[in-house]
Amino acid sequence: MNKIRNWLSKYSVELMVGIFLLYSIYINRADAVYGYVKAWYVIDYSYGFGSRLLIGSLLHLLCGEVVTDAAAYCFVVVSLCLLSAAVALFAGYIYRRGKNPEMKKAVLFLIVFYIASPASPEYLWTAENMGRLDTYLFLLTVLIAFVYFGVRNIVVRYLLFTALGVMAVFIHQVYFFLFFPFLCVIILQDLWKSGWKKRNVICAACSVFCICGVFLYMQFGSGIYDDYATLMAGLNAHTDQPVDGAPMEAEYFWTLKDHFYKNMVPEIPHHLKYGFMLVCMLIPVWGTYLWIWVQAIWHSPKRQKIKYILMICTNVAYLPVFILMNDWGRWFAALFIVGFLDIMLLAGDEDEGICYALEKLGRGISRCPMPFILVVFYIATFEKFEGLNFPEQVTDFYYTTYHLKNWLFNR
């Protein structure tokens, strides 16, 4: 019994996070794969060579010529369970690596804070996100973190970084903007720790070059059937339910200009208004992350300050998708996920500046825990991010404030 008790105590964070997320999948998951993304579970490399075809090809290997709705749904649920387990293992691993009690308190707070936030893995099993390819990008990103901590051989490590990064681009080229910044932070951390050894620099450059090259090819050089009608006839022959043609047309038959003017421009007023409000309402999320970075910068010598500034600048990669594409819910979710993973990885790697900031945060939690508890409760009041739409709390806040203003000034 003592051995069991000690084991449960040692892995309590993994167990709690894993049980919570798996239970949420059990009771809260959407009943079907979101219709807009169903095509990606049917199309495969027999249609050509391009991004977003890897998952469909894998399903065809498992299911044969016809990919049923039930098979695709089961595949998504299993993937979500694997993602939940990976996030739980990562969170527990980072927590157990903490050597300072105050730092461990801060890490535990960040874990609870993230799980309660709108960007929790739960956002991937809402009705509008069930089956989104972001699921697999997130999973591969967590696996990259495990590679960083688990593989000591530099050449093997970077080969795995490259393989996982290329696989992510094959799944969806938007990886380059959403989750690739996390790999860039890992590479910067590795280069700084190694003292910029020649072998590390060469491996890092080759890895980044390969992933960037594959992204550029997938974005501009790849393609599938030239005829839309032939494409849709083929897809509908390989599934038991009709496939929505809108994503196929947008991905393979529209130009970047079409995407901007047909998708983004009509949504600009809506996105700017509610996007600004969302940023303001989620100040506790990005404000907490930014405070940790600022503390790390202030505490560090000049050379380390440069490292942290470069790491923060990796977030510039999000600008293209916010400017050109209209799925702002997904973009915000990935931004907050990577912000969480960045800090957790550096904490697990015992980075001096980040550990100092987390110890300071932990001391604040010890002295006055109530504000931090209230922040978690506040964040938990928000719905999870959807693909396109903002959490309902944002629009509710806007209209409630608008009606209150009218009541106060128009009496």
Side-chain angles (χ1 to χ4, degrees):
M1 288 300 295
N2 285 335
K3 287 184 178 180
I4 295 174
R5 191 180 298 111
N6 291 336
W7 186 88
L8 292 174
S9 176
K10 181 179 180 180
Y11 297 102
S12 58
V13 173
E14 289 97 320
L15 290 170
M16 292 299 100
V17 174
I19 290 170
F20 175 81
L21 292 177
L22 291 172
Y23 180 67
S24 178
I25 292 174
Y26 186 73
I27 64 170
N28 291 328
R29 71 183 187 278
D31 294 332
V33 174
Y34 183 46
Y36 192 84
V37 302
K38 180 188 170 184
W40 311 124
Y41 293 87
V42 180
I43 193 170
D44 65 6
Y45 289 115
S46 67
Y47 291 84
F49 188 78
S51 184
R52 311 192 199 190
L53 307 185
L54 183 58
I55 295 300
S57 299
L58 179 57
L59 268 169
H60 277 291
L61 287 175
L62 296 173
C63 304
E65 287 295 315
V66 176
V67 177
T68 64
D69 265 10
Y73 184 76
C74 289
F75 184 87
V76 171
V77 171
V78 170
S79 300
L80 290 170
C81 290
L82 291 175
L83 172 63
S84 298
V87 170
L89 290 172
F90 176 73
Y93 178 77
I94 300 301
Y95 176 78
R96 285 185 285 108
R97 284 180 69 88
K99 296 177 181 177
N100 184 294
E102 301 301 337
M103 177 184 161
K104 295 183 80 167
K105 287 179 185 177
V107 170
L108 184 60
F109 166 74
L110 289 177
I111 293 169
V112 175
F113 184 72
Y114 167 64
I115 294 299
S117 77
S120 163
E122 292 176 284
Y123 90 96
L124 289 166
W125 51 85
T126 61
E128 197 178 315
N129 281 328
M130 187 70 175
R132 290 272 188 188
L133 299 181
D134 304 42
T135 301
Y136 315 105
L137 305 184
F138 191 178
L139 177 58
L140 290 175
T141 299
V142 178
L143 293 181
I144 285 172
F146 286 133
V147 169
Y148 177 74
F149 286 115
V151 179
R152 298 300 176 192
N153 185 284
I154 296 300
V155 175
V156 175
R157 178 191 291 179
Y158 275 96
L159 282 174
L160 290 172
F161 285 165
T162 305
L164 292 171
V166 167
M167 187 184 301
V169 176
F170 271 51
I171 291 171
H172 198 317
Q173 74 271 33
V174 81
Y175 166 80
F176 190 77
F177 302 107
L178 300 189
F179 294 98
F180 183 62
F182 176 66
L183 179 55
C184 293
V185 167
I186 288 178
I187 290 173
L188 286 170
Q189 177 69 0
D190 181 67
L191 292 178
W192 247 268
K193 279 186 66 178
S194 70
W196 291 81
K197 288 182 180 178
K198 185 177 180 180
R199 184 174 63 167
N200 294 64
V201 174
I202 293 173
C203 289
C206 290
S207 180
V208 172
F209 178 80
C210 287
I211 295 171
C212 291
V214 171
F215 163 75
L216 290 173
Y217 178 75
M218 289 296 181
Q219 187 66 37
F220 301 108
S222 60
I224 59 170
Y225 286 0
D226 292 331
D227 182 67
Y228 174 75
T230 304
L231 170 64
M232 294 310 301
L235 289 178
N236 284 301
H238 289 98
T239 184
D240 62 344
Q241 294 291 331
V243 174
D244 185 353
M248 294 291 98
E249 182 180 11
E251 172 61 16
Y252 298 111
F253 298 92
W254 283 6
T255 64
L256 193 61
K257 183 179 178 180
D258 291 330
H259 276 286
F260 182 71
Y261 283 103
K262 292 181 180 180
N263 270 344
M264 189 61 197
V265 170
E267 299 289 342
I268 286 177
H270 173 270
H271 278 25
L272 289 179
K273 178 172 68 176
Y274 292 111
F276 174 76
M277 291 183 58
L278 179 65
V279 170
C280 293
M281 294 176 74
L282 290 181
I283 282 177
V285 177
W286 64 261
T288 299
Y289 294 161
L290 185 59
W291 181 89
I292 292 171
W293 285 108
V294 169
Q295 293 299 317
I297 291 171
W298 283 352
H299 177 71
S300 303
K302 184 177 180 180
R303 189 168 179 269
Q304 290 292 100
K305 292 181 193 295
I306 296 173
K307 180 186 78 171
Y308 295 132
I309 291 171
L310 288 174
M311 288 178 172
I312 293 172
C313 286
T314 60
N315 292 305
V316 173
Y318 289 90
L319 287 179
V321 290
F322 276 102
I323 293 172
L324 297 173
M325 307 298 288
N326 65 354
D327 284 3
W328 278 29
R330 293 163 59 203
W331 313 155
F332 272 119
L335 178 62
F336 290 148
I337 289 168
V338 170
F340 169 73
L341 293 178
D342 286 345
I343 293 170
M344 292 289 283
L345 179 122
L346 293 172
D349 205 31
E350 300 179 359
D351 180 85
E352 183 179 352
I354 293 296
C355 287
Y356 166 81
L358 290 177
E359 288 172 18
K360 190 172 181 180
L361 178 62
R363 288 194 293 272
I365 294 171
S366 297
R367 286 196 300 268
C368 190
M370 188 53 64
F372 298 93
I373 295 172
L374 291 176
V375 164
V376 171
F377 280 132
Y378 170 72
I379 291 300
T381 62
F382 285 83
E383 283 186 328
K384 305 308 175 188
F385 284 118
E386 294 285 356
L388 172 65
N389 298 319
F390 297 105
E392 285 188 8
Q393 286 74 20
V394 179
T395 53
D396 289 345
F397 181 85
Y398 174 82
Y399 285 110
T400 301
T401 305
Y402 178 78
H403 294 316
L404 181 62
K405 185 265 295 183
N406 288 340
W407 181 75
L408 288 173
F409 295 102
N410 297 327
R411 287 188 298 174

